[in-house]
Each structure stands twice: as C-alpha cells, then as structure tokens.
Amino acid sequence: MLLLSSTALTATMTFMTGCDKDDDPVVEPNTIVKVAVDNGFSTLVSAVQTAGLEATLKGPGPLTVFAPTNAAFSAITVPSDPNVLKNILLYHTLGAKVEASQVLETPLTYGVLTANATDSVYVKRAGSNVFINGVKVDLANVQAVNGVVHAIGTVLLPPTGDMVQTVVSKGYDSLVVAVTLASTGAGSEPIATLLTTVKNVTLFAPTNQAFRDLLAALSLPNLAAIPKATLIAVLKQHVVTLRGFSTDLAEGQVLPTLAPSGLTVTLASGAKVKGPGNPAAVTISRVNIVAKNGCVIHEVAGVLRP
C-alpha cells in the first residue's frame, strides 16, 4: 500500500481546506438594504441604488426606515433626479432605532436625515396602530443589524415650504388670490404673514373649483368682489389652531379655528368638515400635505363658511 509522506499529507490537507473556504458562500449582513430585498421592497431598493444611498443604509446605524411598499411607489411619479429622490428617501429615515413599542399616544417629533436639518416627521400610536404623518404602519419592527424597518403604504413627501409656499406649489391658485386680497389694502389683516410664520396648525385648503362654486352661489364675478371683512372671516374658518393629520379626526369632533365657531367633523360617509354657514358638510378630498413649521394641509371640495 502506498503511503503519503507527512509533508505531502500536510500539503494535501492544506489544499483541500483552501478549497473548502473558497466554496463557502459569503453571508451578507442583515442590513436594512438586505431586509428590504428579502421582504420584497424591490422598488425601494432600486430607488436607494439610484439615489446613491446603499452605503448609508448598509452602514453601522442605528437607523429606522419607514419603507414604502411597491404599491406605494406605483401611486406616485418617482422623481428621476437622484438628488430629489435621495431627499425623499431620507425623509423616511431616522438617525436612531425606534421600535413600535417606543411610540406613544402623544405625537412624537423625530428629525430625519434630509439635507434640511429642520425637517421632521410626526409619529404617534392610536390603539395598537402606529402612524407616521397620518400614514398607518402596516408591518412593524422588521429587525436589521443596523436598525429597524417599518412598512407603510404611502410615500411620504418632505415639506417644500411654509403654508403659503406649499399652496402655491400645489396649485391652489384661488386660495392664494384670496389670501393676498385679505392681506393687502384698507381693512386688511396679515393672513399671508400668519400662514408663513405660524407653527403646528392645520389648513383646510379649498380647491379652485370650490371657490368658483362659491362665487356662483353668491352671484359675484370674482374674489375681489367679496367684502374684505367677509373674506378674512372665511379664511380664518379654514385655519385650525392645532396640527391634525387625517387619522386624528374623530366623528363629531369640533376643531378650533381662528374663527370663533370652529369646524365639525363627520366620518360616517367619508371624511367631511362643516362650518356654521355651510348647508352641508364639505368633503375632504386630499389629506396630509406636510408644510414646514409642523403644519398640515388638507384639501376640501368646498369653501368653509363662518
């Protein structure tokens, strides 16, 4: 029988051991990026790569990512500009690990990793559910080695300005005209200044069609034909003196406004609000548009009357 020498045997074992190591699969750390891949967030992963954020989300953390689903991304036009996309994704990212059990019924304000250091998101608990900017967390506490992931069904958009800048950018042209008219000339009040400086309030923004319907109902040619005192009173009826996302609304709730009478909320057949002068409740047609200074805008399909 042929025997290997000790030298030859050692060399053979070394070779075989080396082969075994080469054949071992490389195990990727369970970072936030891998969690997103493993849980089917393919659009998010693609967006992260496009925005150049892969290294950040594979970094040491700790981080919390509110991860929009593929369906959430399909509901918007995903920006092609990597820098814009990066800012949107960082708006979903906290520089700390926050699990669902840490969220309280009192809203918590968290800074995000966007380029603007003042950008914040607002997280709260209602019963067993957690909400961010009024959006429900559908799946919480998916653990990663560098943080935690919570799945949401909506892409959150960072604020682009104060309330006046936001209503301008969103195309509420008639509201802008009304605010301008109320804020200039004899008998005016600084509504425009208020909306650029106020913090933590809610604005119900009528659509352009809502203002056209109002003018038709009043048989007036344009907004300038409305007496200024009346216009100011109407605008004050739309400003709620607290920050409220759609998920903060409750049946029969009376929201305090800059006008004395407030707004009454109904939810039985879709979310609506009603001013004292409205013959019927007005539909809330779009919700949770975030402006700077902790302010929120909800679109309404009619003008709220004092």
Side-chain angles (χ1 to χ4, degrees), residues 191-272:
I191 302 293
T193 301
L194 170 74
L195 295 180
T196 59
T197 58
V198 73
K199 296 182 179 180
N200 301 323
V201 303
T202 305
L203 173 68
F204 286 92
T207 61
N208 295 332
Q209 184 61 50
F211 277 105
R212 286 193 288 270
D213 293 342
L214 175 68
L215 291 173
L218 298 175
S219 299
L220 295 175
N222 52 50
L223 290 172
I226 299 176
K228 186 163 292 186
T230 301
L231 188 60
I232 290 170
V234 167
L235 291 174
K236 286 183 174 180
Q237 191 69 55
H238 292 76
V239 183
V240 175
T241 56
L242 51 81
R243 181 180 64 238
F245 290 99
S246 59
T247 47
D248 297 317
L249 302 178
E251 180 67 31
Q253 180 182 21
V254 177
L255 300 173
T257 64
L258 292 179
S261 47
L263 297 170
T264 303
V265 177
T266 60
L267 302 177
S269 56
K272 297 182 175 74

Side-chain angles (χ1 to χ4, degrees), residues 10 20 27 30 39 42 49 73 85 102-103 113 134 138 146 154 156 163 170 190 209 243 255-256 259 280 289 300:
T10 301
D20 288 343
V27 178
N30 191 45
N39 286 273
S42 55
Q49 293 168 343
F73 276 106
L85 186 58
Q102 297 173 256
V103 178
L113 300 185
D138 296 319
N146 59 342
T154 300
L156 308 174
M163 282 206 289
K170 299 298 181 183
Q209 184 61 50
R243 181 180 64 238
L255 300 173
I289 303 168
V300 285

Side-chain angles (χ1 to χ4, degrees), residues 97-120:
K97 184 176 181 179
V98 179
E99 298 196 9
S101 61
Q102 297 173 256
V103 178
L104 307 177
E105 291 187 1
T106 302
L108 298 173
T109 302
Y110 290 100
V112 289
L113 300 185
T114 55
N116 190 329
T118 64
D119 285 345
S120 298

